[in-house]
Amino acid sequence: GAVVSQHPSRVICKSGTSVKIECRSLDFQATTMFWYRQFPKQSLMLMATSNEGSKATYEQGVEKDKFLINHASLTLSTLTVTSAHPEDSSFYICSARDRGGAGNQPQHFGDGTRLSIL
Amino acid sequence: DAKTTQPTSMDCAEGRAANLPCNHSTISGNEYVYWYRQIHSQGPQYIIHGLKNNETNEMASLIITEDRKSSTLILPHATLRDTAVYYCIVMVPSGTYKYIFGTGTRLKVLA
């Protein structure tokens, strides 16, 4: 089945640093990828839609200058958390749609990145 | 806001069928119903989806009511590894293709 890979799976860094998370579709091309954030014991919250070759679309309340998204190829989207602070600590998850599939096909999710800011 | 509501938690005995309900009373005619599950500290895993007909695959069955206002995910023989949070999502397969997750149902399979 379709595989989405996220890297790194876990990152711990100091406050004020920027962290880049990669999301790759391994066996399909994805013009659209999605980024979610999940706090402990809560559901997934959609942060933004990543569009290949164009600007990302952010959900209301998500700071686009804080969470930079780049989707430069059909298999890779990156999320950069800039100047991260402890409140940015969370579980970040990406998903991707296969551009070659039917409109109702399910999204495929990565295994998430646990970000801890000290 | 999510367009689905699910019970917060359920228990099921190992080997028995687990029936997880989902209410989507405001579903529109072209919205599909998708089910995913999330095991602790992993990304959501796709289970099944459907529009109006009942669906079955190797993991589960999806029963959608005739008026499409609710559905039930059935795990026919639950195992301990089925312990997870189960999410029901509705989505129009065009435009933004966004998933809006609700709170999900925390299923605990008991030995």
Side-chain angles (χ1 to χ4, degrees):
Chain A
V3 177
V4 173
S5 173
Q6 260 185 263
H7 179 80
S9 58
R10 187 179 184 97
V11 59
I12 302 171
C13 58
K14 294 181 179 180
S15 184
T17 58
S18 293
V19 179
K20 180 184 283 189
I21 302 169
E22 293 185 347
C23 179
R24 292 182 185 273
S25 55
L26 296 186
D27 52 359
F28 64 96
Q29 293 182 328
T31 50
T32 306
M33 293 184 174
F34 302 88
W35 288 96
Y36 299 82
R37 181 167 56 179
Q38 186 176 34
F39 292 108
K41 297 193 182 301
Q42 294 187 22
S43 186
L44 284 77
M45 184 193 78
L46 180 65
M47 299 175 66
T49 303
S50 173
N51 303 298
E52 188 267 335
S54 65
K55 291 183 178 180
T57 305
Y58 291 82
E59 295 300 303
Q60 192 173 7
V62 178
E63 301 174 60
K64 60 182 179 182
D65 295 330
K66 174 75 169 176
F67 299 99
L68 300 180
I69 292 172
N70 184 276
H71 193 154
S73 81
L74 288 171
T75 58
L76 175 64
S77 174
T78 61
L79 170 69
T80 301
V81 184
T82 61
S83 187
H85 289 95
E87 57 267 28
D88 298 321
S89 298
S90 190
F91 191 50
Y92 292 87
I93 307 169
C94 72
S95 70
R97 289 192 69 252
D98 185 344
R99 71 182 295 217
N104 65 343
Q105 63 179 313
Q107 293 177 20
H108 304 284
F109 285 80
D111 269 340
T113 296
R114 187 160 303 282
L115 174 63
S116 299
I117 307 299
L118 305 178
Chain B
D1 290 349
K3 295 185 65 174
T4 60
T5 55
Q6 299 175 252
T8 303
S9 64
M10 294 179 65
D11 290 342
C12 176
E14 189 178 21
R16 304 297 294 268
N19 296 281
L20 293 95
C22 179
N23 182 286
H24 32 80
S25 58
T26 62
I27 193 170
S28 61
N30 57 351
E31 284 185 303
Y32 279 72
V33 180
Y34 296 80
W35 282 84
Y36 284 79
R37 70 182 182 185
Q38 186 179 28
I39 297 170
H40 183 62
S41 294
Q42 296 182 22
Q45 176 190 23
Y46 166 74
I47 301 173
I48 199 166
H49 73 286
L51 181 62
K52 54 183 178 181
N53 296 322
N54 298 338
E55 302 286 345
T56 296
N57 64 20
E58 65 277 5
M59 290 183 69
S61 295
L62 172 60
I63 308 298
I64 303 174
T65 58
E66 193 168 341
D67 65 6
R68 303 209 323 120
K69 292 185 177 182
S70 66
S71 60
T72 301
L73 178 75
I74 301 172
L75 307 178
H77 305 287
T79 70
L80 298 178
R81 287 183 294 181
D82 292 322
T83 293
V85 178
Y86 287 76
Y87 294 101
C88 165
I89 302 162
V90 295
M91 187 198 74
V92 175
S94 63
T96 63
Y97 297 98
K98 292 195 296 189
Y99 283 170
I100 304 300
F101 281 78
T103 55
T105 296
R106 187 171 297 273
L107 175 69
K108 183 183 288 186
V109 179
L110 306 173

